[in-house]
Amino acid sequence: MFRRIGNTVVRHPVWTIVAWLIAAVAIVATAPSLPSNSDESSFLPKSYESIKAADLQQKAFPSAFTPSAIALYQRTDGGKLTAADKQDVARITTELGKKHIDQVQKVVPGPPSKDGRYDMTLVQMDSKNAGQPKQADAAKALRDDVKALAKGTHLDVKLGGAAAQTLDQQDSSQRGQGLIAFGTFGIILVTLLIIFRAPILAVLPLVLIGLVSAVANGLIAYATKLFDLQANSSITEILIVVLFGVGTDYFLFLMFRYRERLRAGDEPKQAMINAVDRVGEAIASAAGAVIIAFLALVLSTLGFLKQMGPALAIAVAATLVAGLTLIPAVVSLIGPKIFWPSKSWQKEPENARFAALGRGVRNRPALTAGVSGLVLVLLSLGALSYKASFDLASGSMPKTKESMVVQDKMQKAYSAGAAAPTDVYLSSTDGKPLDKSGFAAYAQKLGAVDGVAGARLTQLNKDGTTADFTVTLKYEASTDKAIDAVGRVRDVAHSDAPEGTDAVVGGMSSIYKDINAAVNHDYRTVFPVAAVLIMVILGLLLRSVVAPWYLMASVGLGFGATLGATVWIFQKGQGHSGLMFTLPVIMYLFVVAIGTDYNILMIARLREEAREGREPREAAGMALRHAGPTVAAAGFILAATFATMMLAGNSLLMEMGFAVAFGIAVAAFVMAMFFTPSLTALIGHAAWWPGHGDRSEVTVAGAGAHGSVPAPAGDRDTMAHDPAGRRN
């Protein structure tokens, strides 16, 4: 199949390129815009208690005041607010309400802090558009207006709250995208120049993958609208890295093989056809593993992960199609001139370092497997200390952003949970008005819960069937202590609800608790499904039921080592209270799926060497010698491109960038180069049971009739005439 594909695109390169250009223009021109949503509650399905509470609040208290933005005032000298300062705050609050800013429904005074140093203005916006860009625009207008109104006073005012956080997330995201894109392009360009010393070849993948990126983004926008998926701003940064990192990997796989076939004496066009034929299966299998792993995210209960999975799968699928069609077509048009001005492509280097590594694996496979496995196990121990963090807002932007400064000051000046109180909604089950005589006792029981600063009845709906009890926690909403406390609030709210009533608990801490439950569900669902599907792909590729088991075991060790190293660095080293709760899911999929690429490439090469008549240990050594340079180059570029996410300046992308980069490095430089080939060498022919994937067809046929008889050189794999015909 891959030879037919290679024949078609190489014989008709112009038509292939024109077809890509037409498709790109059509898709980009007609694709819908991709909205962004940073409202955490939209990530959860309707079955969770926090979402039921939010729905009930909309029905029972449609005009209830829930601040979307908070203007926090303090004196410029840090002292207590004077009577004149308080008058200025009141004036600013009144004039701000008269601005009639889009999305703003109410502007009311907030409570002063107990120490008299702070005061607030509370702004309510349309809850239907929470987390949407239009509320970020409203926050920008509010921020500009409130600062302008405070000019000439002794007040320093800053805007915080959910809408302001959305605005700051957008600004941070745009800055992060620029840094990530610049870093990614720079790393790919410089690395390819060093490897090939050919400027055309170094620039070409950036141009081609840029075209693929436009197509992929358009297809993602279509899919997001068609299936009504949630869009999240962090996907853009990840897409840049996935498209250019994975795309460059496939480009390298193809170019190493193309150069190899040219060295073997193939005519240029035939060299590309042979390259697609030889490396196409490895690229397709590697991409298939990544696509299936990403699609497993549709089983997630979190909305943004459900959107991220198909989006990344579409990106990789587009990259795969480009790797088998667009890239071969363009390179075949350019021919060997793509390597200009370097002449090193004309002769095969000695690869002395990789030859030495290959001899080490061949001579001491048990020691190699033991040492590399021990390193992975030791790093994995750090995973035992993993803790999750649910503060998406502060995790997705620097602490210096204005909304984060407001959040920090409010936690110190007011009760830590005051900025995001918990609400207990008590409703009658028979539709009759509630018995008000029990309200005081119920509020008292809620207030007595460990971790609660206070609880009070705040409102009753007009029919008297639903009461809202506001519970203020002692802790900031996203902390482990607040999440544990809201769990205790739920227990009391449910168990002590008066007869004939039902209670649901809402608020940010309740949402975070449900997100925690959803993530744990995803761990139990997404992880095993992705692992099984990847194993099926490996089994089909290798025609073996043995190899997929130890390959996935090695990848599992790589995941544990990556999570452990991330815990050591960020929790132990930098003192983070926890790692972002989405990190293990994303890391698992990237490290397991993309990291499997290098295992696939190495094991496929090992099989090819074995089919040349080499014994398992010799085949492992030769596979490392000849495929090692490709794995090293591809692994370095992909790890380095993911590392550019650390430039974004926020803890979420910093943790994600480090974790995935480290995981890719482990997959390429530990698993693929040492652990997998050494294990395969130790297991020997049994690794390919029940098939004979490591033996040529003639050998197998001869063995069936007369025992194990080596195939004649001319009848071995179609590469047998070419001692340099190696799978890279």
Side-chain angles (χ1 to χ4, degrees):
M1 179 181 77
F2 296 104
R3 176 167 286 275
R4 288 199 299 272
I5 293 173
N7 257 315
T8 301
V9 300
V10 171
R11 301 304 179 195
H12 307 284
V14 175
W15 286 111
T16 302
I17 296 168
V18 168
W20 264 94
L21 291 174
I22 292 174
V25 171
I27 291 171
V28 172
T30 60
S33 60
L34 186 64
S36 178
N37 192 351
S38 59
D39 179 22
E40 287 90 341
S41 65
S42 66
F43 300 158
L44 289 167
K46 301 294 184 183
S47 58
Y48 282 87
E49 182 169 350
S50 59
I51 307 305
K52 290 180 180 178
D55 291 341
L56 178 59
Q57 185 257 322
Q58 286 289 325
K59 294 175 183 176
F61 308 103
S63 60
F65 188 89
T66 304
S68 300
I70 300 170
L72 184 67
Y73 306 89
Q74 70 176 121
R75 282 185 61 85
T76 53
D77 60 9
K80 289 187 177 183
L81 297 174
T82 65
D85 295 331
K86 293 176 182 179
Q87 288 179 358
D88 285 332
V89 170
R91 175 185 56 80
I92 294 171
T93 301
T94 302
E95 292 186 19
L96 201 59
K98 294 178 180 178
K99 296 281 186 180
H100 300 297
I101 298 170
D102 181 46
Q103 295 296 306
V104 173
Q105 296 176 330
K106 289 182 182 178
V107 180
V108 300
S113 63
K114 291 181 180 179
D115 62 8
R117 296 178 184 274
Y118 295 90
D119 206 344
M120 294 190 296
T121 294
L122 305 179
V123 181
Q124 178 177 280
M125 296 186 188
D126 186 352
S127 60
K128 295 178 182 178
N129 296 318
Q132 297 293 338
K134 60 178 64 177
Q135 291 208 349
D137 295 340
K140 187 176 187 308
L142 279 169
R143 185 172 282 172
D144 292 340
D145 287 343
V146 77
K147 289 181 185 298
L149 290 170
K151 280 186 178 179
T153 70
H154 297 288
L155 295 172
D156 175 54
V157 57
K158 289 182 170 57
L159 191 77
Q165 289 174 358
T166 300
L167 172 63
D168 289 341
Q169 282 174 335
Q170 282 186 3
D171 293 341
S172 181
S173 176
Q174 291 173 358
R175 175 180 175 274
Q177 286 175 32
L179 289 171
I180 289 170
F182 181 79
T184 298
F185 297 161
I187 287 168
I188 293 173
L189 187 64
V190 171
T191 306
L192 290 180
L193 280 172
I194 292 172
I195 293 173
F196 293 101
R197 296 186 292 279
I200 298 175
L201 192 149
V203 172
L204 187 61
L206 297 177
V207 175
L208 297 183
I209 300 169
L211 176 63
V212 176
S213 176
V215 172
N217 276 291
L219 293 175
I220 290 166
Y222 273 120
T224 300
K225 185 175 181 179
L226 180 64
F227 297 105
D228 193 26
L229 300 171
Q230 293 289 344
N232 182 262
S233 57
S234 63
I235 291 176
T236 305
E237 291 93 335
I238 299 173
L239 271 176
I240 293 172
V241 177
V242 168
L243 281 163
F244 284 89
V246 174
T248 304
D249 264 12
Y250 298 163
F251 180 82
L252 280 173
F253 292 174
L254 194 65
M255 291 311 301
F256 270 97
R257 175 59 69 140
Y258 176 60
R259 185 177 67 178
E260 188 176 290
R261 298 309 307 170
L262 289 174
R263 287 170 175 168
D266 287 359
E267 180 269 332
K269 288 190 178 295
Q270 190 61 42
M272 180 53 71
I273 294 172
N274 289 338
V276 174
D277 180 35
R278 294 294 178 180
V279 84
E281 184 181 28
I283 291 177
S285 299
V290 178
I291 291 169
I292 282 182
F294 287 158
L295 285 178
L297 282 176
V298 300
L299 300 175
S300 171
T301 51
L302 294 174
F304 76 98
L305 286 180
K306 280 188 175 183
Q307 196 270 345
M308 182 182 290
L312 297 177
I314 289 170
V316 174
T319 307
L320 167 63
V321 175
L324 296 177
T325 58
L326 180 62
I327 293 174
V330 173
V331 174
S332 66
L333 271 182
I334 300 173
K337 292 180 181 178
I338 196 172
F339 298 106
W340 177 89
S342 173
K343 298 185 183 297
S344 61
W345 65 271
Q346 297 174 351
K347 58 182 179 180
E348 185 179 2
E350 293 296 326
N351 284 336
R353 293 177 183 173
F354 289 97
L357 293 175
R359 287 193 298 271
V361 170
R362 179 194 65 193
N363 297 333
R364 300 179 182 84
L367 178 63
T368 303
V371 171
S372 56
L374 181 61
V375 170
L376 296 176
V377 170
L378 290 176
L379 286 172
S380 297
L381 294 177
L384 299 175
S385 301
Y386 166 75
K387 290 183 180 179
S389 171
F390 296 90
D391 190 357
L392 279 174
S394 62
S396 58
M397 68 183 99
K399 300 292 186 183
T400 54
K401 283 291 186 180
E402 187 169 328
S403 59
M404 291 295 97
V405 173
V406 171
Q407 179 174 290
D408 183 59
K409 288 186 175 183
M410 284 190 64
Q411 289 177 27
K412 295 174 181 176
Y414 297 81
S415 170
T422 295
D423 288 285
V424 177
Y425 298 102
L426 189 68
S427 301
S428 64
T429 55
D430 57 7
K432 296 180 180 178
L434 294 167
D435 181 4
K436 299 179 183 179
S437 63
F439 286 174
Y442 189 63
Q444 188 176 5
K445 290 176 181 178
L446 292 173
V449 173
D450 183 26
V452 172
R456 59 190 176 90
L457 174 68
T458 51
Q459 55 186 334
L460 192 67
N461 73 336
K462 62 180 182 179
D463 297 328
T465 55
T466 300
D468 177 9
F469 294 84
T470 298
V471 178
T472 304
L473 303 179
K474 294 179 180 178
Y475 318 108
E476 195 276 320
S478 64
T479 61
D480 288 339
K481 289 183 177 180
I483 293 169
D484 291 340
V486 87
R488 293 189 290 271
V489 169
R490 282 184 177 181
D491 292 339
V492 171
H494 298 158
S495 63
D496 291 334
E499 187 176 349
T501 66
D502 183 43
V504 289
V505 181
M508 289 310 303
S509 294
S510 186
I511 288 172
Y512 291 137
K513 184 170 182 61
D514 286 341
I515 288 177
N516 189 25
V519 170
N520 289 333
H521 166 272
D522 292 349
Y523 290 163
R524 296 189 299 268
T525 306
V526 177
F527 282 20
V529 168
V532 168
L533 292 176
I534 292 174
M535 285 182 67
V536 170
I537 287 181
L538 290 172
L540 293 173
L541 169 67
L542 303 174
R543 283 78 170 174
S544 166
V545 297
V546 176
W549 285 98
Y550 68 83
L551 287 176
M552 285 306 297
S554 71
V555 172
L557 268 179
F559 167 77
T562 303
L563 181 57
T566 309
V567 169
W568 290 121
I569 294 294
F570 290 97
Q571 281 186 207
K572 304 292 186 182
Q574 296 191 8
H576 289 197
S577 60
L579 303 179
M580 197 54 57
F581 70 93
T582 57
L583 187 63
V585 175
I586 294 171
M587 189 178 72
Y588 174 85
L589 293 171
F590 278 100
V591 173
V592 171
I594 297 180
T596 303
D597 285 10
Y598 307 120
N599 266 342
I600 288 175
L601 197 67
M602 185 62 73
I603 203 73
R605 181 54 193 254
L606 193 153
R607 179 183 62 181
E608 189 173 310
E609 294 292 344
R611 284 178 171 176
E612 290 295 317
R614 296 182 174 88
E615 287 303 308
R617 293 193 178 196
E618 181 67 22
M622 293 300 291
L624 179 55
R625 174 182 178 180
H626 297 305
T630 309
V631 170
F636 172 79
I637 288 178
L638 190 58
T641 52
F642 272 106
T644 61
M645 294 172 71
M646 298 176 69
L647 301 173
N650 65 70
S651 59
L652 172 61
L653 291 179
M654 187 172 291
E655 290 172 4
M656 190 183 299
F658 171 83
V660 179
F662 186 87
I664 294 297
V666 167
F669 295 99
V670 179
M671 291 189 298
M673 285 197 186
F674 299 106
F675 197 63
T676 296
S678 59
L679 275 180
T680 307
L682 284 172
I683 297 171
H685 294 296
W688 307 96
W689 185 86
H692 301 280
D694 62 334
R695 302 178 187 181
S696 67
E697 293 181 5
V698 175
T699 300
V700 173
H706 308 290
S708 181
V709 180
D715 292 333
R716 291 188 188 130
D717 187 92
T718 55
M719 292 172 29
H721 70 282
D722 170 24
R726 305 178 178 102
R727 184 183 298 275
N728 277 318

